[in-house]
Amino acid sequence: MMTESGASPEDPWVKVEYAYSDNSLDPGLFVECTHKGSVVSRANSIGSTSASSVPNTDDEDSDYHQESYKESYKDRRRRAHTQAEQKRRDAIKRGYDDLQTIVPTCQQQDFSIGSQKLSKAIVLQKTIDYIQFLHKEKKKQEEEVSTLRKDVTALKIMKVNYEQIVKAHQDNPHEGEDQVSDQVKFNVFQGIMDSLFQSFNASISVASFQELSACVFSWIEEHCKPQTLREIVIGVLHQLKNQLY
């Protein structure tokens, strides 16, 4: 008898079907086919059970490696953060050490704290005070430099004037021979000073320094006016003219 297309003659269930064909039953063939069918079913059942009970080692290996990678990544990040924090702290410490070396007041012993190490707050405060002191010194030096520059400018002007006087005298050596002598000049100055001293002596009191200061300012305001000095000079010149001529 021919089997169905696609079925193997060795298939036990085909043999069972063959055993029942032609309306006849072969006992020996039926027992053999039944035994083989049960064995095959039992084998298929054991195979499926074994397949379902075997763990998926590939997935577990993948999860394990992924977890290890995550942990190593976290460790690297934690280590990098720790190193960065340590560098930051070292930089701050070096900065404070440099301030204590540069700022003179940080090197001076503070008896209020004894031999204890200066705190960061004290170091910063001493640094601020020292910077303010340097700013004041700089401003003071700038003012002194400005004053010296003005003095230099005035000396340059005087130098130019004296050079012009010397040059004019060298160009005309006989000029000024008919001018008034130094003795006459001294007599004019003496006459002016004598007149001023008379008014000064009459107006000044030396009982106390405060009274002296007040009297001096009053005398200057009253007897040293331009008009008063002009009258004194004219009177002295007339007097010398009468003496000379």
Side-chain angles (χ1 to χ4, degrees):
M1 180 178 179
M2 297 296 293
T3 61
E4 292 182 359
S5 177
S8 175
E10 299 297 329
D11 192 342
W13 304 113
V14 174
K15 289 184 177 182
V16 171
E17 184 179 3
Y18 176 73
Y20 281 97
S21 63
D22 297 333
N23 298 322
S24 60
L25 175 64
D26 187 349
L29 182 61
F30 177 78
V31 172
E32 180 184 359
C33 292
T34 304
H35 177 68
K36 289 184 178 180
S38 62
V39 170
V40 171
S41 299
R42 186 181 303 171
N44 291 335
S45 176
I46 294 173
S48 61
T49 304
S50 301
S52 61
S53 63
V54 174
N56 193 346
T57 58
D58 293 338
D59 293 340
E60 289 186 355
D61 291 342
S62 177
D63 294 340
Y64 175 75
H65 289 300
Q66 187 175 4
E67 186 68 22
S68 301
Y69 175 77
K70 288 182 180 179
E71 290 181 358
S72 61
Y73 177 71
K74 290 181 179 179
D75 292 339
R76 288 197 300 271
R77 286 195 62 183
R78 187 182 300 108
R79 185 165 52 254
H81 177 73
T82 302
Q83 292 176 354
E85 181 66 18
Q86 186 63 38
K87 289 181 180 180
R88 185 183 71 85
R89 293 182 179 181
D90 292 341
I92 293 174
K93 183 178 182 301
R94 287 195 300 271
Y96 278 102
D97 293 340
D98 293 341
L99 286 177
Q100 294 188 39
T101 304
I102 296 172
V103 178
T105 54
C106 291
Q107 301 175 3
Q108 298 174 359
Q109 184 178 3
D110 192 349
F111 295 99
S112 61
I113 62 175
S115 59
Q116 297 179 2
K117 184 179 179 181
L118 295 179
S119 64
K120 294 180 180 180
I122 295 177
V123 172
L124 289 178
Q125 186 60 47
K126 287 181 177 291
T127 303
I128 293 172
D129 295 339
Y130 184 64
I131 291 175
Q132 292 177 348
F133 168 76
L134 291 179
H135 277 299
K136 291 180 181 179
E137 288 295 318
K138 180 183 177 183
K139 185 176 180 180
K140 182 179 178 181
Q141 291 178 358
E142 288 176 351
E143 293 176 354
E144 292 178 355
V145 169
S146 178
T147 302
L148 292 174
R149 286 177 179 174
K150 292 179 181 179
D151 294 341
V152 170
T153 302
L155 291 174
K156 288 181 179 180
I157 294 173
M158 293 175 63
K159 178 176 177 291
V160 172
N161 292 333
Y162 278 114
E163 287 176 349
Q164 292 175 356
I165 292 173
V166 171
K167 183 178 180 181
H169 181 70
Q170 291 175 352
D171 295 339
N172 299 303
H174 300 289
E175 185 180 0
E177 291 181 353
D178 297 334
Q179 294 181 356
V180 179
S181 63
D182 294 337
Q183 183 63 38
V184 174
K185 294 178 182 178
F186 177 75
N187 292 334
V188 172
F189 179 77
Q190 184 179 10
I192 295 172
M193 291 298 103
D194 288 341
S195 178
L196 290 174
F197 181 73
Q198 290 177 4
S199 62
F200 181 82
N201 192 29
S203 303
I204 299 302
S205 174
V206 293
S208 64
F209 179 78
Q210 294 180 352
E211 189 174 353
L212 174 63
S213 302
C215 293
V216 168
F217 286 112
S218 299
W219 174 80
I220 291 174
E221 292 292 334
E222 183 177 356
H223 296 280
C224 294
K225 295 178 181 179
Q227 181 64 28
T228 303
L229 294 176
R230 182 173 180 274
E231 293 176 356
I232 293 173
V233 172
I234 291 174
V236 171
L237 291 176
H238 280 296
Q239 184 178 359
L240 289 177
K241 181 180 181 181
N242 294 331
Q243 291 178 0
L244 294 174
Y245 302 101

